[in-house]
Amino acid sequence: MQETRVEYFRGKDFTTFIKNHPEVGEILGPDKDMEAEDIVNTLLTKNLVIRCDRVWKTVRPGKKKLSSWPAHLEIHQEQVFTENDGFYAWMFLKRRTLWQTILSFIWPVFALAVCLFPVYPYQCKIVVLYSCAGALLFIVSLLLLRAAIFGVLWVLLGKRVWFFPNINAEETTFRELVRFWPVKDEGERPKWTSRLIYATVALLVILLLRHHAPDEAARARYQKKVSNIIDDVLEWSPKLALSGMMDKHTEDNATETSNYTSHATTSTEESTDAAEDEDADETQGAADDTRTRSSEV
C-alpha cells in the first residue's frame, strides 16, 4: 500500500472470527458484547486500522476472477466497516523481534567479512569459493529445470505449471518463497498453433546455439585462463604482497646504484680521455716548435 508493506485482514473473515471465538470479546471488558462492525469502527476511529481497497478493480487479462488477497492496495475514501470486499490494514508497528535485532548486528559483520576475503587463509578461501560456486550452481540449475518443466508441460498439455512459483518474487516471506507446489492455473488454455510455434522457435534456438558452441580447444583455453585467475586470487596473501614490494624496492635501489656507478665511470673515462687529448696536443706543439727552430738554423 503506497510502496509500504502492510498486514491486513478482510471484513468477512473478521466477522467469522468473532462469531467462532466469542471468548476473544472478554478482553473488551464491559464492551464484550460489541458486534464485529462496532469493534472495527472503533479501531478505525482510533486510527489502529485503516480501510483499504484493491488497486485492480477489474479482472486482469488471463484471469477469471479477482484475487481474494490482492497484492496492491490503496486507501479507501469511506472509512467505515463493510463485509463485502472490505480490507483493513493494521497501522501500528509490530515489536522488533530478537531475531531482527541479531540480524541488524550480523549484516555489518558479514559485509566486513566479504571485504576481507583477500586476506583469508588459503583453506578458508577454498571453502568460501566452493560454497558460493555450489550455491550459484544450485540456483541456476533449479531455475533451468523449472523453466524446462514449464515449457514441456505448456507445449504438450497447454498447462501453466510453475514449481516454486514465488522463487522470483521480490517481496515475500521465506515460507512463501520456498513453497514447492504450483498455484492453480486460472488462465485460458493456449491454442495448439501458438504452442507449436513456440516449440519450433525453441528448437531452432537450441540447434543454433549448439552449432555455434566453442570447440574443445577454445573451451580448454578459456578454462585455463579462468583457472589462472582463480589461482591468483587464492594464492594472494599479505606476506607475498609485502615481500613483492620489498623485492621491487630492492631492485629499484640496485638499479639506481648501478645507474649512478655507470654514470660515475663514464665521467671518469671522459675526464681521462680529455687529459690524454691535452697531453697529445702539448706534445705535438712541442714537436712543431722544435722543427721550426731547426729550419731557422
Side-chain angles (χ1 to χ4, degrees):
M1 185 178 64
Q2 297 181 352
E3 304 299 330
T4 304
R5 188 175 180 84
V6 296
E7 295 183 356
Y8 69 95
F9 59 90
R10 298 182 300 185
K12 57 182 180 180
D13 294 335
F14 187 81
T15 302
T16 303
F17 177 79
I18 293 298
K19 291 180 179 179
N20 296 336
H21 301 82
E23 67 278 3
V24 178
E26 298 295 333
I27 62 177
L28 299 177
D31 299 327
K32 61 181 180 179
D33 296 330
M34 292 179 60
E35 298 293 335
E37 180 179 358
D38 297 331
I39 296 175
V40 176
N41 286 330
T42 303
L43 296 176
L44 289 171
T45 56
K46 295 182 179 296
N47 293 325
L48 294 177
V49 297
I50 185 172
R51 185 183 174 186
C52 306
D53 195 6
R54 61 176 75 243
V55 175
W56 305 99
K57 300 178 177 61
T58 58
V59 180
R60 303 177 66 178
K63 303 292 183 179
K64 296 181 179 180
K65 60 180 181 179
L66 293 173
S67 175
S68 301
W69 296 92
H72 301 279
L73 298 174
E74 60 184 3
I75 300 177
H76 201 281
Q77 296 180 356
E78 298 180 0
Q79 294 297 314
V80 293
F81 178 77
T82 177
E83 294 186 14
N84 300 325
D85 203 18
F87 306 99
Y88 304 89
W90 296 102
M91 298 303 296
F92 63 89
L93 297 177
K94 298 172 64 176
R95 180 184 299 179
R96 192 181 186 89
T97 62
L98 178 62
W99 180 242
Q100 292 176 336
T101 304
I102 294 175
L103 285 179
S104 63
F105 287 99
I106 290 178
W107 281 120
V109 176
F110 177 77
L112 181 61
V114 171
C115 296
L116 294 178
F117 174 78
V119 300
Y120 285 179
Y122 180 79
Q123 297 297 333
C124 294
K125 289 182 180 180
I126 290 293
V127 173
V128 174
L129 176 64
Y130 282 101
S131 299
C132 295
L136 182 61
L137 180 62
F138 173 75
I139 294 174
V140 173
S141 301
L142 179 63
L143 293 177
L144 292 178
L145 179 62
R146 176 174 175 264
I149 294 175
F150 172 82
V152 171
L153 294 179
W154 187 81
V155 171
L156 297 180
L157 304 177
K159 298 292 185 179
R160 301 177 181 87
V161 180
W162 284 109
F163 292 98
F164 295 101
N166 300 322
I167 196 170
N168 293 325
E170 296 182 357
E171 296 182 1
T172 184
T173 61
F174 181 77
R175 180 178 298 179
E176 291 293 327
L177 184 66
V178 298
R179 186 163 63 90
F180 173 77
W181 198 249
V183 296
K184 184 179 180 181
D185 184 16
E186 298 179 354
E188 297 180 359
R189 186 174 182 178
K191 298 180 180 179
W192 67 270
T193 54
S194 60
R195 288 185 285 160
L196 181 60
I197 293 174
Y198 277 106
T200 305
V201 172
L203 182 60
L204 292 177
V205 171
I206 293 174
L207 294 177
L208 183 64
L209 292 176
R210 184 177 180 181
H211 177 71
H212 292 281
D215 54 5
E216 292 295 335
R219 285 196 291 267
R221 290 194 301 270
Y222 181 74
Q223 183 179 1
K224 183 178 180 181
K225 184 177 180 180
V226 173
S227 298
N228 293 335
I229 295 174
I230 294 176
D231 292 339
D232 292 339
V233 174
L234 294 178
E235 294 175 358
W236 185 92
S237 66
K239 292 182 180 180
L240 292 177
L242 293 176
S243 62
M245 294 174 60
M246 294 299 295
D247 294 341
K248 183 178 180 181
H249 182 67
T250 303
E251 292 177 359
D252 293 340
N253 291 338
T255 303
E256 292 178 358
T257 303
S258 61
N259 292 336
Y260 177 77
T261 305
S262 300
H263 180 70
T265 304
T266 304
S267 300
T268 304
E269 293 177 355
E270 292 178 354
S271 300
T272 303
D273 294 339
E276 290 177 355
D277 292 340
E278 291 179 358
D279 293 340
D281 293 340
E282 291 178 357
T283 304
Q284 184 66 30
D288 293 340
D289 292 340
T290 302
R291 286 194 296 270
T292 302
R293 290 193 188 99
S294 300
S295 299
E296 291 176 354
V297 173

